[in-house]
Amino acid sequence: MKYLYIAILSFLFVSCNSMEHDIEQDLQIPNTVHDKQTISSFLWQVPIEESSILKRKKLSSLHPILYKDKVIFNNFELSGFVALDQESGEVEWDNRGSTNPNYVAFPPIVEDNKMYYVKTGGIREINLDNGNLEAGYLWPNTDEYLDIRINKIGDKIYAPLGEFKMNEKFSEWVSCDLDKISIQDWSHNFRITPAENNGLKRIFHKPQAYRNNAGQNLMIYSYVDADKDWKVHKDNMVAVNLDTGATAWELKEFVNYPLENEAALIEDNRMYVRSGREVFCINAENGEIIWMVDGFLVDDILSKGGGIKIKDNKLIVCGLQKHIFALDKMTGDLIWSLKSDNNRSDEFAQGSVYNTANIYKDKLYYISAWGSLMVVDINTGNYSRYHLPTREKLKEYSVSLFEHSFKDQSLIINEEGIAFTSDGYRFLAFEVPVD
């Protein structure tokens, strides 16, 4: 009996090892490339502010937008936006100094020739052709404010409405037709109070639009129900039929980590959502969870990471610091997994939050924590990294740049493979490396 027991244990041990081996055989293991390569040739370089060329400015290329022949950057320290010609770098318009200096946390919503965003609890509308501020006002009730997590649903802007008071009394959505933003024609929708919600305050996240198979307009968003001290907090997701006001479907407490507060990524009827260490594919028609991957696979924080991108059959997931991986978008099966060394923060995905991660052809481009440009082959996970020259000299200004990099900057790539970003001293345009 003793020997039979030992034999069984041995069989199980071998079987487990064989199963692990099979998984490794199926998984593409990336060949990491640590050799730094230099980006030293630019199509153009334009000083962020000529009068202070040696003063590095953080977040100087925030939320880049490609509009017609322009690339438009938000510059936090200089309080506004600047539009540059994509081909020449010539300044098309510059409204820096005309808006207040508060941080624009979420990318503006772009529709036709306008962009919309929230600052200091009020809405802003800017004309992308000339940079003029066409609407800009605080919320009329001084005890309330517009939340930054706005989005366009149909022909309206939807935004959560909050209160400045410590004991918040309600949560609700407000909406306004795009052509009526300037006259402040807002409607109030779906108000809920803690008294109606088991004593819990409801916190809305950024919504997403979806038109279902019946032709009905849904607004899908995640939300948190929490008590005042945050000792109780429940993450949920809901789809609301905007045509009828009814709930189309709802997922209650289906995650083990906090959900991201960004809008879900939707392709066809599949919706991709991240929590702290989970990825879900959800049927946008009915809320059915099609597949999910969890902490057994994920070795990073995803809800605040570099984002998720779709390319062909792959869902590319960028973690906050060290883990990037590709899943089959239909099944959730792991295709490749790239983990950076914990001791090599120059390779971390941090810094690619919001508009840093881009896909051009078969490459993923993002800015690492130390300000390198990372280039990942989305088919294999192989990667290389690029940096700016050390102590680069600007002859026209008779200065050398010290410790300049892409750190704290954003990145956008146009259809011709031209990258637009900043090193904190200059706005830059260059051809993306493809090797």
Side-chain angles (χ1 to χ4, degrees), residues 388-402:
L388 293 169
T390 303
R391 291 187 174 275
E392 184 178 358
K393 293 183 180 180
L394 300 183
K395 294 181 180 179
E396 60 269 40
Y397 296 97
S398 300
V399 297
S400 295
L401 301 180
F402 180 67

Side-chain angles (χ1 to χ4, degrees), residues 2 14-15 76 81 133 151 159 171-172 213 242 258 262 296 313 326 337 354-355 374 379 399 408 430:
K2 172 181 177 183
V14 172
S15 298
F76 166 55
F81 295 82
L133 183 67
N151 210 351
S171 304
E172 73 177 354
N213 292 336
L242 295 178
E262 257 287 2
F296 180 77
N313 69 317
S337 175
Y354 303 132
N355 283 1
M374 306 296 292
N379 293 314
V399 297
D408 303 317
F430 55 88

Side-chain angles (χ1 to χ4, degrees), residues 333-352:
D333 292 338
L334 182 65
I335 298 174
W336 54 258
S337 175
L338 173 62
K339 292 184 183 180
S340 299
D341 190 329
N342 281 335
N343 296 318
R344 297 184 65 89
S345 59
D346 53 333
E347 297 171 5
F348 286 0
Q350 187 175 3
S352 58

Side-chain angles (χ1 to χ4, degrees), residues 164-234:
F164 285 113
K165 298 176 181 179
M166 292 298 292
N167 294 318
E168 298 174 335
K169 297 179 181 178
F170 71 87
S171 304
E172 73 177 354
W173 290 96
V174 293
S175 61
C176 184
D177 290 338
L178 290 172
D179 58 359
K180 296 181 178 179
I181 293 288
S182 60
I183 62 173
Q184 305 186 37
D185 187 20
W186 292 87
S187 300
H188 295 251
N189 312 276
F190 313 121
R191 175 175 288 215
I192 186 169
T193 66
E196 300 167 314
N197 195 34
N198 299 316
L200 302 178
K201 163 72 177 178
R202 180 156 293 180
I203 302 164
F204 297 124
H205 292 168
K206 187 173 181 178
Q208 184 60 281
Y210 177 70
R211 190 173 181 85
N212 67 14
N213 292 336
Q216 298 168 321
N217 295 303
L218 305 186
M219 181 171 72
I220 303 175
Y221 57 91
S222 58
Y223 65 90
V224 181
D225 285 336
D227 64 2
K228 180 181 176 182
D229 300 320
W230 210 254
K231 293 179 180 179
V232 176
H233 52 91
K234 304 174 181 180

Side-chain angles (χ1 to χ4, degrees), residues 165-376:
K165 298 176 181 179
M166 292 298 292
N167 294 318
E168 298 174 335
K169 297 179 181 178
F170 71 87
S171 304
E172 73 177 354
W173 290 96
V174 293
S175 61
C176 184
D177 290 338
L178 290 172
D179 58 359
K180 296 181 178 179
I181 293 288
S182 60
I183 62 173
Q184 305 186 37
D185 187 20
W186 292 87
S187 300
H188 295 251
N189 312 276
F190 313 121
R191 175 175 288 215
I192 186 169
T193 66
E196 300 167 314
N197 195 34
N198 299 316
L200 302 178
K201 163 72 177 178
R202 180 156 293 180
I203 302 164
F204 297 124
H205 292 168
K206 187 173 181 178
Q208 184 60 281
Y210 177 70
R211 190 173 181 85
N212 67 14
N213 292 336
Q216 298 168 321
N217 295 303
L218 305 186
M219 181 171 72
I220 303 175
Y221 57 91
S222 58
Y223 65 90
V224 181
D225 285 336
D227 64 2
K228 180 181 176 182
D229 300 320
W230 210 254
K231 293 179 180 179
V232 176
H233 52 91
K234 304 174 181 180
D235 288 76
N236 313 281
M237 178 162 280
V238 66
V240 176
N241 188 325
L242 295 178
D243 299 327
T244 65
T247 297
W249 55 260
E250 190 165 16
L251 286 172
K252 288 280 195 176
E253 300 181 60
F254 66 103
V255 296
N256 296 307
Y257 303 89
L259 281 164
E260 61 177 331
N261 56 23
E262 257 287 2
L265 175 63
I266 297 181
E267 182 185 63
D268 298 328
N269 68 331
R270 299 181 308 280
M271 181 171 64
Y272 300 97
V273 177
R274 292 164 292 157
S275 71
R277 289 180 180 269
E278 299 162 314
V279 183
F280 295 85
C281 177
I282 300 171
N283 189 328
E285 288 285 324
N286 55 28
E288 174 192 0
I289 296 176
I290 300 171
W291 56 256
M292 64 90 70
V293 297
D294 58 15
F296 180 77
L297 163 69
V298 179
D299 188 22
D300 208 345
I301 300 171
L302 303 183
S303 56
K304 298 181 180 178
I308 52 179
K309 297 284 183 180
I310 294 175
K311 174 65 174 178
D312 300 328
N313 69 317
K314 298 178 181 68
L315 181 74
I316 315 296
V317 184
C318 301
L320 175 63
Q321 293 183 323
K322 60 181 179 179
H323 196 189
I324 298 176
F325 53 92
L327 304 172
D328 184 299
K329 69 180 183 182
M330 304 300 291
T331 65
D333 292 338
L334 182 65
I335 298 174
W336 54 258
S337 175
L338 173 62
K339 292 184 183 180
S340 299
D341 190 329
N342 281 335
N343 296 318
R344 297 184 65 89
S345 59
D346 53 333
E347 297 171 5
F348 286 0
Q350 187 175 3
S352 58
V353 175
Y354 303 132
N355 283 1
T356 301
N358 286 251
I359 287 181
Y360 177 70
K361 293 187 175 179
D362 288 334
K363 299 290 192 299
L364 169 74
Y365 298 83
Y366 68 88
I367 294 171
S368 73
W370 280 16
S372 295
L373 176 65
M374 306 296 292
V375 184
V376 182

